């Protein structure tokens, strides 16, 4: 969505052995046919680093990956710096 302008932070948890941890799962997302691409306001005339894809294509490709994998790698046009 930001064309590499903002970097995503990996999810990390610091467990506390004294207090219980409460985790909640949230399922949400756009319609499966929704196209995903960088926001035009963040492009400023630059070429997109990623090929356009649908939410379905993204979800389908992530099912075979691990959390540590680069899930956008399949959609990169050029290497993001």
């Amino acid at each position: 969505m930001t064309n590499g302008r903002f970097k995503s932070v990996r999810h990390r948890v610091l467990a506390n052995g004294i207090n219980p941890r409460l985790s909640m799962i949230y399922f949400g997302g756009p319609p499966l046919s929704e196209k995903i691409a960088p926001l035009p306001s963040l492009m400023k005339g630059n070429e997109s680093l990623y090929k356009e894809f649908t939410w379905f294509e993204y979800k389908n490709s992530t099912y075979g990956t691990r959390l540590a994998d680069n899930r956008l790698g399949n959609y990169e046009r050029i290497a993001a710096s």
Side-chain angles (χ1 to χ4, degrees), residues 14-76:
L14 180 60
N16 180 333
I18 298 170
N19 296 320
R21 177 174 170 235
L22 175 64
S23 295
M24 298 180 81
I25 192 163
Y26 173 76
F27 292 101
L32 293 175
S33 61
E34 190 72 28
K35 293 185 188 283
I36 309 297
L39 298 169
S41 61
L42 295 176
M43 294 297 296
K44 295 183 181 176
N46 296 325
E47 182 181 352
S48 174
L49 298 176
Y50 304 94
K51 297 177 249 178
E52 186 176 275
F53 53 92
T54 64
W55 184 243
F56 174 80
E57 291 168 328
Y58 176 76
K59 294 299 287 180
N60 197 39
S61 71
T62 62
Y63 289 136
T65 63
R66 298 175 310 185
L67 285 175
D69 292 344
N70 176 8
R71 295 180 174 187
L72 288 175
N74 293 337
Y75 306 104
E76 289 179 353

